[in-house]
Amino acid sequence: MSDKQNGTQDEAKGPSPEPIRFFGTTWVNHDDGYRIRRIGAATGALAAAVASCLVLRFAYQGLQLAETGSFVTLLVVVMFAVCSALAFRHSWDAYSKRPDPDRQASLRGLLTIGFIGSLLAYSFRALVEAPGEKLHREEYEAALRQHEKRTSRRAGNPKKRRRP
């Protein structure tokens, strides 16, 4: 993997921005079809959420046909609603700060069940910015400041400098 792909920096050029899925590094300068990509990502995530709701509707109808009873049906509906709400909130927060890996691992099942909430969060966030752009921009600008600070220091040993 090259330096540009893994987000490391070349000392002469400075830090390189980390690519975002579906956007690459177009989020840095909002160029190369950034706005169209945002609209496409928002539309695609919303379409996927709608299709997922239709699939869940078929599952609900399957429960009705199986005559499992109103308690089981209610339990399944509430489970998907609560998990979707929690997944929405978790996904929304993950776009502005890095999630804790241990917490992320423990919530994996809940986030899988609440995938509709994650899709909706992605769709709504894409209407404002590339999902995760704020977090990536903060990290990239901090890396640029740090690189500028490192490269603007004096060079060489002052004792070895020739005196006129």
Side-chain angles (χ1 to χ4, degrees):
M1 192 182 290
S2 71
D3 287 343
K4 193 170 246 183
Q5 289 174 335
N6 67 14
T8 61
Q9 63 187 16
D10 180 10
E11 204 55 43
K13 297 179 185 177
S16 59
E18 185 178 343
I20 298 176
R21 180 180 290 161
F22 304 125
F23 296 92
T25 57
T26 61
W27 60 268
V28 177
N29 297 320
H30 295 185
D31 57 356
D32 292 336
Y34 170 79
R35 185 177 309 272
I36 293 170
R37 289 178 194 218
R38 272 193 22 226
I39 292 169
T43 305
L46 190 59
V50 168
S52 300
C53 287
L54 290 175
V55 169
L56 287 179
R57 173 73 178 153
F58 292 137
Y60 177 79
Q61 287 176 343
L63 287 174
Q64 295 294 323
L65 288 174
E67 296 178 2
T68 56
S70 60
F71 178 72
V72 172
T73 304
L74 180 67
L75 195 62
V76 168
V77 169
V78 169
M79 176 196 62
F80 272 104
V82 169
C83 288
S84 290
L86 291 173
F88 180 92
R89 181 63 184 184
H90 179 77
S91 297
W92 190 265
D93 289 342
Y95 296 134
S96 57
K97 62 181 173 129
R98 295 262 181 211
D100 178 31
D102 294 333
R103 185 169 185 264
Q104 185 83 5
S106 68
L107 291 176
R108 185 170 293 133
L110 182 131
L111 295 175
T112 302
I113 294 169
F115 64 98
I116 293 174
S118 295
L119 288 169
L120 290 174
Y122 190 89
S123 178
F124 294 151
R125 192 60 169 216
L127 293 174
V128 178
E129 66 178 9
E133 178 181 345
K134 179 181 177 186
L135 174 65
H136 284 79
R137 188 169 302 282
E138 288 172 356
E139 291 173 350
Y140 178 60
E141 288 174 355
L144 283 175
R145 283 192 301 273
Q146 185 180 18
H147 176 74
E148 179 63 31
K149 188 177 176 182
R150 271 196 327 267
T151 57
S152 65
R153 292 183 183 159
R154 61 179 171 82
N157 186 349
K159 284 185 172 182
K160 294 182 179 179
R161 205 176 288 161
R162 295 173 61 184
R163 300 193 186 233

